[in-house]
Amino acid sequence: MPLYLGLDSSTQSLTALLLEVDAPVPGDASGRPPRVVFEDSISFDDELPGYGTRHGVLPADDPAVAASPPLMWVEALDRMMSRLSASGIDLSRLAAISGSAQQHGSVYLNGHAAARLARLDASRPLAGQLGGVLSRPVAPIWMDASTSAECREISAAVGGAERLAQLTGSRAFERFTGPQIRKFFKHEPDAWAATDRVHLVSSFLASLLVGAHAPLDPGDASGMNLMDLATRRWLPEALDATAPGLAAKLPPIVPAKTPIGRLALYWRLRYGLPAARVVVWSGDNPSSLIGSGLVREGQVAVSLGTSDTVFGVMQAPRVDRSGTGHVFGAPTGDYMGLTCFRNGSLARERIRDQHGLDWEGFSAALRATPPGNLGALMLPWFEPEITPHVAQPGVHRLGLDRSEAARNVRAVVEAQMLAMASHSRWMGVDFDAIHATGGAAANRDILQIMADVFGVAVRRLQVGNSACLGAALRAYHAEMVAGLGDPPPDSGTHLADHRQGEPGEREGRYVGVDWDLIVQGIAEPTGEIVAPDPAAVEVYRDMAPRYAELERGYRSPDAPTGDFPAPC
Ligand code: XUL
């Protein structure tokens, strides 16, 4: 029975999930559904404290700046593979591996990287071998909000925010990789000149697995403000607007079902792993789309993690005219709409900690307070917010005293749900249920508020980490698409260094391997349905305009108002 490994390098941790699959043909009624046989997580702060991160991010004086050390991710990957090999599971059955990573973050490598990746020494830990190949010691990540000037410059050069959004799926956003690259090029021109390859977190980690520079998939590449959404190729005018010489420094873009090589000798010799197929990695949100079973238009998920996101499948790319959301490529070959909120789990934790509660106490507070919170409202922007655009952090309360524990707890959750409901309408997707995922989806009381605010049923998924599950399922799908044939290991068929996909190459649904069958029985909601309470739905219907008005009063003056041209 083959095994498929999914890895997820998120903001705060690295998770691995191993899926065992009976049926060689997906959906074969004679087989049991895929099963999770191993799941483990490494918290960066707790297990790798030497890197000095807090919640996976390096401390910075400027609240707009957020970066992480790439070598911390490398060490976590090395440690995870060591744990996997010590798990006692027969890993000779490992057929394919794929991964998911926090989106937008970028890793900068010099011209020595390719040779070093090709000759990793299995007798020595990985991180120590890679220090010399970084042209920038830190990686800016999705929480960074320090590139407003670069967003304006790129938008102007491409002909305005609306045009950039129409071409790339998003207007310029501070955390997107293009503006981040431009800032690096402007402020550190020598280090930029020494950069040979700019990777996303996903392609960087995939490169370690195959021992060569890995490509990107369209899902993660569309989080850069650099990819032409229609052709899924780099967009020359966006590249020119971003930094000189960028085209030569970017990985190629290949369809999300592409095998990019075999597990490099480092992993095979050091941990006794087989020459498993490695499938191109993707971002955490595209991976989550699969891991939460969203393979058709009309399905929507809410992920409650470090960032909270609302996303759904789109068959056609309907770009957000309000300038808050994004259209990314979906692993199915379709598109996905997404809206991202920065003040997610960390905001919930801040309120919990301010009132000395644990999660049980947090839930009790939700149960002890009525929907609508007796008129209280909060804007929980502990950090600069992405949606709506808020440059300066600030927590604002209306009709609420900072000391009232239970009402503050309800206020933070209600604010988050009201914001998600209001800022996801642009997707224009009619849905009758929400698939809930991410750590906080384990909390039924939070899901009740979600159901009441959105006015639809909420269904919890069987496997909590949908990004990691999605990565494992993408590995499974790609293996099936590859035709079930098994080219000999080390056949040298790396896609890893192709400069660009075939002209006009575009993903589409693979006819023989239906995504519905891949997700069946595993990326599906459990039986439990959290139904909306009609009386509470009414309360939130009245509350939504009051919340929107409060939000309008506090968001940054340059936040998109619903009309293009929208400044960054
Ligand atoms: C999405 C986004 C976050 C990151 C981190 O646009 O910025 O969801 O992917 O998880």
Side-chain angles (χ1 to χ4, degrees):
M1 278 178 290
L3 298 171
Y4 297 93
L5 176 63
L7 294 157
D8 174 41
S9 184
S10 73
T11 317
Q12 306 195 49
S13 58
L14 175 79
T15 304
L17 180 153
L18 205 50
L19 214 53
E20 186 181 57
V21 173
D22 275 359
V25 180
D28 181 340
S30 63
R32 290 172 293 167
R35 299 162 295 284
V36 176
V37 293
F38 173 91
E39 194 171 355
D40 199 358
S41 210
I42 292 175
S43 151
F44 300 137
D45 290 5
D46 297 344
E47 296 200 36
L48 300 167
Y51 291 94
T53 58
R54 217 170 151 254
H55 300 298
V57 186
L58 290 166
D61 295 335
D62 180 350
V65 167
S68 297
L71 293 181
M72 175 179 79
W73 300 328
V74 175
E75 193 168 338
L77 182 64
D78 213 8
R79 196 176 279 210
M80 184 56 86
M81 291 305 216
S82 142
R83 283 196 199 166
L84 191 62
S85 78
S87 67
I89 296 170
D90 171 14
L91 293 169
S92 65
R93 296 183 289 138
L94 182 61
I97 305 175
S98 192
S100 130
Q102 56 170 305
Q103 296 198 253
H104 317 296
S106 41
V107 180
Y108 299 76
L109 302 183
N110 63 30
H112 303 297
R116 180 57 56 84
L117 285 168
R119 278 192 291 280
L120 294 170
D121 177 356
S123 68
R124 295 195 294 133
L126 196 53
Q129 302 182 52
L130 291 173
V133 307
L134 295 173
S135 57
R136 186 180 188 178
V138 299
I141 65 157
W142 67 275
M143 291 169 145
D144 190 281
S146 68
T147 63
S148 298
E150 288 75 18
C151 287
R152 279 191 294 273
E153 290 160 4
I154 292 170
S155 299
V158 172
E162 179 163 18
R163 182 147 194 277
L164 185 64
Q166 233 113 46
L167 291 169
T168 68
S170 304
R171 67 178 174 88
F173 277 84
E174 279 86 348
R175 69 192 194 287
F176 274 42
T177 325
Q180 293 292 337
I181 291 173
R182 181 162 178 80
K183 181 182 165 198
F184 181 51
F185 143 71
K186 279 168 51 183
H187 294 273
E188 299 180 56
D190 294 342
W192 173 248
T195 299
D196 177 66
R197 186 62 51 101
V198 182
H199 276 296
L200 291 186
V201 183
S202 63
S203 59
F204 172 61
L205 294 173
S207 303
L208 304 178
L209 293 184
V210 293
H213 282 306
L216 285 168
D217 90 309
D220 219 11
S222 42
M224 300 173 82
N225 280 139
L226 295 174
M227 189 189 84
D228 181 340
L229 199 61
T231 62
R232 301 177 189 225
R233 303 184 69 152
W234 298 121
L235 179 69
E237 56 184 297
L239 268 48
D240 291 346
T242 300
L246 179 54
K249 299 182 201 267
L250 289 172
I253 304 169
V254 300
K257 61 191 175 198
T258 308
I260 58 168
R262 296 269 171 183
L263 205 50
L265 272 177
Y266 176 85
W267 307 102
R268 286 142 65 181
L269 297 177
R270 191 170 173 86
Y271 299 119
L273 297 171
R277 213 190 278 276
V278 179
V279 174
V280 64
W281 285 38
S282 187
D284 53 357
N285 292 295
S287 296
S288 231
L289 191 81
I290 298 301
S292 43
L294 267 54
V295 295
R296 305 237 158 245
E297 183 158 276
Q299 298 173 315
V300 165
V302 170
S303 170
L304 302 175
T306 308
S307 62
D308 287 347
T309 52
V310 189
F311 51 84
V313 182
M314 282 178 172
Q315 240 142 31
R318 284 186 297 277
V319 170
D320 173 18
R321 291 200 55 83
S322 78
T324 51
H326 318 296
V327 182
F328 294 154
T332 52
D334 301 307
Y335 298 90
M336 66 183 284
L338 176 135
T339 309
C340 178
F341 302 82
R342 170 162 175 191
N343 286 280
S345 70
L346 299 182
R348 291 184 284 276
E349 272 169 43
R350 288 282 278 272
I351 294 288
R352 182 200 65 181
D353 295 347
Q354 276 175 7
H355 297 284
L357 300 170
D358 55 14
W359 286 120
E360 192 35 58
F362 191 91
S363 288
L366 292 178
R367 288 193 296 273
T369 43
N373 217 1
L374 306 173
L377 282 173
M378 179 192 280
L379 297 174
W381 298 327
F382 288 92
E383 305 294 339
E385 180 51 64
I386 292 169
T387 312
H389 183 236
V390 177
Q392 292 305 322
V395 177
H396 310 283
R397 293 174 174 84
L398 190 76
L400 179 66
D401 193 278
R402 198 176 186 280
S403 64
E404 299 173 86
R407 289 179 77 215
N408 273 274
V409 167
R410 176 164 281 275
V412 68
V413 177
E414 287 186 345
Q416 291 175 325
M417 298 304 157
L418 286 162
M420 283 196 269
S422 112
H423 295 295
S424 54
R425 270 195 227 108
W426 68 270
M427 284 193 251
V429 173
D430 276 337
F431 54 95
D432 54 14
I434 295 174
H435 290 198
T437 178
N443 185 318
R444 200 193 180 286
D445 300 294
I446 292 181
L447 298 193
Q448 185 63 58
I449 299 177
M450 188 187 290
D452 295 341
V453 170
F454 280 84
V456 297
V458 173
R459 310 191 66 188
R460 212 183 339 219
L461 292 153
Q462 278 174 51
V463 179
N465 189 335
S466 57
C468 205
L469 174 64
L473 289 170
R474 290 202 314 100
Y476 175 35
H477 174 260
E479 179 82 351
M480 296 297 109
V481 170
L484 307 165
D486 216 12
D490 289 334
S491 56
T493 50
H494 273 302
L495 261 174
D497 229 3
H498 285 196
R499 298 302 313 158
Q500 186 74 273
E502 290 303 309
E505 183 174 36
R506 202 191 159 285
E507 286 179 81
R509 283 172 176 269
Y510 182 79
V511 193
V513 183
D514 197 328
W515 273 107
D516 288 297
L517 299 178
I518 296 284
V519 301
Q520 188 173 300
I522 179 80
E524 282 185 356
T526 49
E528 191 192 6
I529 297 179
V530 181
D533 166 14
V537 172
E538 279 304 308
V539 171
Y540 290 121
R541 196 166 291 152
D542 292 346
M543 196 172 176
R546 287 182 48 235
Y547 171 81
E549 195 185 320
L550 183 69
E551 199 192 84
R552 262 195 300 278
Y554 283 103
R555 66 190 180 190
S556 297
D558 62 352
T561 55
D563 301 313
F564 277 105
C568 183

